[in-house]
Each structure stands twice: as C-alpha cells, then as structure tokens.
Amino acid sequence: MKRRDFLSGLAVTSATLAAGQATKSTDASQNKDAQQNLKVPRTTPAKNIMISAANGITPRGSHIDAGYKKLAAGADTLEAAITTVSGPENDPEDDSVGLGGLPNEDCVVELDACCMHGPSRRAGSVGGVRDIKNVAALARTVMEHTGHVMLVGQGATRFAELMGFPKENLLTEHSRKIWQLWKEYHSDRDWWGPGLADPSFKFPAGLETSALEDQPKPIQRLYALAAEIGIPEARRMDAIQKVLDPPTGTINCSALNEKGEMSSVTTTSGLAWKLAGRCGDSPIIGAGCYCDQDVGAAGATGSGEENIKVAGAHTIVENMRRGMSPEEAGMDTLKRIVRNYNNDMSKLIYISMHYYILRKDGAYAGVSMWSGPAERPARFAIADGSGPGRHEVAKALFQGNPKDWPPMPRGRR
Ligand code: GLY
C-alpha cells in the first residue's frame, strides 16, 4: 500500500469513527425521546396473564391453562404462549390449526405461524409448511437458530426436518372428507378471479339469496353427498357449513409475566380450500401477531387478506404506544378495514376479524368486527390465575353475523 493511500485510509477511518460517535449519541437521544413519547402506563402487571383466541379453551381441554401453569412456574413468556397454541396444533379434532387442519384446494395441509419474543426483541416466522404440525415452535426455532426471520415452503419444511421436528401426514380422514365434499359440490365459485377488494368486483348473480328455504336444492344435494362420502350424520351439517363458509380458524396467544416480560405467537392451517402457496396474515410479523416489550402485544384471527392490508397487530400496538386503551386500539384498527371498503356494508358483511390485545400493564381486550349471533357471540380466552381460564365476550364494532367468503348460498346456522 502506498503511504498516501494508507494516510487517506486512516482519514476515512477516523471520519467514520467520528461519525459513529455522532450516530451513537443521536441514537441515545432518540431512544430517550422514544421512551418519553410512550403513553403506556408504567405500572407493572399485578399478576401473570395470558390471552388467546376462543379455541384456547375447548371441551377437550383448556390449552390456555396448560400454558398458564408453565408461566406461573416461571417459564419464559414465549414458552408459555407456545404451550397454549400447541394444544390445538396437536388436536386432530381442531380442524383450523396443525394436525387435522383443513387443507388447501389440492387437499394438502399447509401451515403458517409467527412469534415475537419481547425480552430479546426477536421474531420468527414460517409460511406454507407441509408435514410438520408444531409450526409455532418451528417459528421460534427460526428465530433462535438462524439469522433470518421468515422461512417458507419447502425450505421451511426441510429446515424443520434438519432441526429434528417429526414429519407426519397432517391430513385426517375427517378433514379429507370435508375437502372431498367441497370438491364434489364445487362449482365455478372459488378463489380464482378478482376478489372482494377489486375495484371492478361484481357480486355473482343469485348470491343475495342466502336463506335455506330459498336454496333448498344445494343444501339437500350437499347433505346427500356428505352421506355418500361417509361423513357421520352428527358431523354432516358442520361439514356442509365448512364447504359453504370456508373457515379461517387460527389461534393467537400472548403472555405477560409479573416482571412485565411479554411474548406473542400465532399459528394456523389458514383459510380452508385456499390456493396452494397462499399465506395469510398468521406468518406476517405485524399482521398475525406483534409484540413490543415497551408497549404490549396483539394478535389476530379472521380474514387474513384484510388484516395484512392494515398491518393489524402492529397498528394496535402503535395505537397503544400513543395512549389508546387496548379496546380503543383494536376498534381503531377494525375501522381501518372498514375505511378500506369505504364503509360498504354489502362487502364488509363478508369480513370476519378478531383481535386479542394485551398491554404491558396487564390491561387487555378482545375486539371483533361482528358480534356473532346472540347465542354464540364472538369470544376470547383469558387466564390470570384468579380461577380456571375463562371465555369473555369480545367488544364488537358491528352487531350481527358475518358471511364468509367466497359468498355462497348457505344453510340456517
Ligand atoms: N387468519 C388466518 C388466515 O387468514 O389464514
């Protein structure tokens, strides 16, 4: 190296170092500003607390209590939240998550999940994973054992195998039969073509007639088909409903401990009968779940496409940072979805959206776009050590029942 180059190198190095010092002090003052702008109550939570989607408590067991037991025993908040959501993931009877999840249009189960660990401010995510049921734990493994945040498709499945996750067929006979019913019944009304958000979207003719009495033949035909396929009578109407109203079942869970540490996780088999490769909101950090150790956590179930467009979980946490209560933060985010449709109720009736919100001081809320029917209102699960985990009714933006998408003639619920 020539002496001149060496000296100019030194000059660059000193300039860089000086600039680095300046950056450091700017960062420090910005950090201080960020802290001062926090409008979140500074109190630490009075107790450990967990919130989840309603399927955190099922007739087959209370998954939120299993997670809470670990939290109360001192487990990390993400470990407690993953324990909760692994319940539905392992349960073949829950056809919205993990093993036994409803498949895509090719009859393949594809799972999505993401997580955020508050204390270490890290995130992990997987999308379109096949043959691995515990994708919430897989998202944490991406977070802990790679320099990445998100793995998808074959790469994610291969990573899971390499990390020791067992490979198994996730399609149960129950879910396969409902797929078969959907396939055999199916017409030209599917996920191909422009969606509800397309400016030139037109409702297909005839869909406004939704009452069973106006549509007796399709339901009767479905009932006969379901019997032929061998779906037991007791489960036939449920299967028909899933064919007509493809569900987006999912579970989110957030956990907060007495030290004020918090984490959040979301896991799903996604929208039933989706196109292969479709990822919803559940693996998207900031949509399916978000956690900021300084503020709080939020997660979502429902219309993935709509939630992605408002970055729902992140919007809620940022709303709380600016001083909104958990309920106000969730309602404001639901209203952003309404705004995206210019308040058009003929379209909003097809959008189902639920948020589960936990602030750093232990305040919480469950909010929902629609109230659901009076006898079966939208709910969420809470565990706070004051007794067994319980369901609470979510605060609804609109009274009534959403119709699921794609719109099809449907039976009486
Ligand atoms: N919210 C789940 C999904 O849309 O896949």
Side-chain angles (χ1 to χ4, degrees):
M1 183 187 276
K2 289 186 186 144
R3 181 181 147 78
R4 200 179 50 219
D5 292 345
F6 176 71
L7 286 176
S8 70
L10 270 186
V12 168
T13 310
S14 325
T16 311
L17 281 176
Q21 290 299 336
T23 310
K24 259 189 200 157
S25 58
T26 311
D27 280 355
S29 60
Q30 273 168 359
N31 269 342
K32 207 167 148 228
D33 284 351
Q35 290 294 327
Q36 277 165 354
N37 286 334
L38 265 181
K39 302 238 170 16
V40 180
R42 303 253 166 162
T43 48
T44 46
K47 50 194 174 185
N48 298 309
I49 182 161
M50 294 181 77
I51 185 169
S52 83
N55 51 344
I57 302 173
T58 74
R60 296 173 298 285
S62 175
H63 308 304
I64 199 166
D65 280 315
Y68 192 84
K69 204 170 155 194
K70 283 201 175 174
L71 190 67
D76 176 69
T77 48
L78 186 54
E79 170 62 18
I82 289 178
T83 298
T84 297
V85 303
S86 69
E89 283 181 339
N90 293 333
D91 180 2
E93 294 294 313
D94 186 325
D95 58 20
S96 73
V97 176
L99 176 66
L102 292 173
N104 66 18
E105 66 171 2
D106 299 333
C107 202
V108 179
V109 181
E110 284 189 343
L111 306 180
D112 302 330
C114 76
C115 67
M116 289 192 84
H117 184 242
S120 63
R121 297 178 191 273
R122 288 183 299 167
S125 154
V126 289
V129 177
R130 300 181 174 191
D131 303 326
I132 309 288
K133 71 180 172 197
N134 294 124
V135 281
L138 183 59
R140 177 175 58 185
T141 306
V142 171
M143 179 187 91
E144 288 178 342
H145 294 282
T146 78
H148 305 308
V149 166
M150 185 173 200
L151 295 180
V152 300
Q154 283 180 343
T157 306
R158 176 88 187 111
F159 171 73
E161 281 180 82
L162 290 171
M163 297 306 288
F165 283 74
K167 248 184 128 174
E168 61 191 295
N169 177 14
L170 302 180
L171 187 66
T172 57
E173 192 52 10
H174 165 73
S175 289
R176 193 201 64 73
K177 280 183 172 163
I178 304 178
W179 173 86
Q180 187 182 343
L181 183 63
W182 170 77
K183 193 76 179 166
E184 290 191 13
Y185 170 79
H186 214 47
S187 63
D188 55 351
R189 292 166 189 168
D190 58 20
W191 286 97
W192 294 96
L196 199 61
D198 191 291
S200 59
F201 180 83
K202 287 198 177 53
F203 285 101
L207 293 180
E208 61 282 1
T209 52
S210 61
L212 175 58
E213 43 279 22
D214 298 335
Q215 299 280 341
K217 287 206 177 99
I219 306 294
Q220 283 169 20
R221 198 179 128 220
L222 267 170
Y223 203 85
L225 257 179
E228 218 170 88
I229 286 168
I231 296 175
E233 199 174 346
R235 306 183 91 164
R236 231 168 266 164
M237 278 320 287
D238 178 61
I240 289 170
Q241 191 175 321
K242 282 169 177 153
V243 168
L244 298 178
D245 305 335
T248 53
T250 299
I251 184 166
N252 161 258
C253 180
S254 295
L256 170 69
N257 68 17
E258 287 167 337
K259 290 185 270 180
E261 296 169 340
M262 60 193 320
S263 293
S264 189
V265 64
T266 298
T267 178
T268 190
S269 52
L271 178 68
W273 337 131
K274 63 194 173 184
L275 271 64
R278 175 262 189 192
C279 281
D281 57 330
S282 302
I284 309 295
I285 301 291
C289 97
Y290 193 74
C291 174
D292 183 325
Q293 182 54 58
D294 296 332
V295 180
T301 63
S303 306
E305 279 74 7
E306 302 313 327
N307 190 36
I308 289 172
K309 288 185 283 185
V310 296
H314 182 260
T315 298
I316 289 170
V317 172
E318 288 307 303
N319 280 344
M320 290 195 291
R321 183 195 302 283
R322 294 201 312 272
M324 287 189 201
S325 71
E327 188 179 298
E328 288 166 345
M331 284 294 173
D332 171 76
T333 305
L334 290 171
K335 285 175 191 164
R336 293 181 193 214
I337 296 176
V338 174
R339 167 68 191 83
N340 280 349
Y341 282 94
N342 293 318
N343 300 332
D344 182 346
M345 297 309 284
S346 73
K347 290 185 174 180
L348 290 166
I349 189 69
Y350 291 105
I351 295 171
S352 152
M353 200 68 241
H354 310 269
Y355 292 116
Y356 313 94
I357 309 160
L358 183 55
R359 203 170 56 187
K360 187 179 155 57
D361 63 335
Y364 65 85
V367 302
S368 173
M369 181 73 90
W370 292 94
S371 64
E375 70 284 2
R376 205 161 33 86
R379 298 182 304 171
F380 60 101
I382 282 287
D384 59 7
S386 62
R390 61 186 183 274
H391 279 129
E392 292 189 15
V393 174
K395 175 84 178 176
L397 185 60
F398 299 127
Q399 294 302 309
N401 221 6
K403 299 177 183 178
D404 286 339
W405 183 260
M408 294 189 204
R410 40 200 261 151
R412 208 194 300 277
R413 284 175 188 263

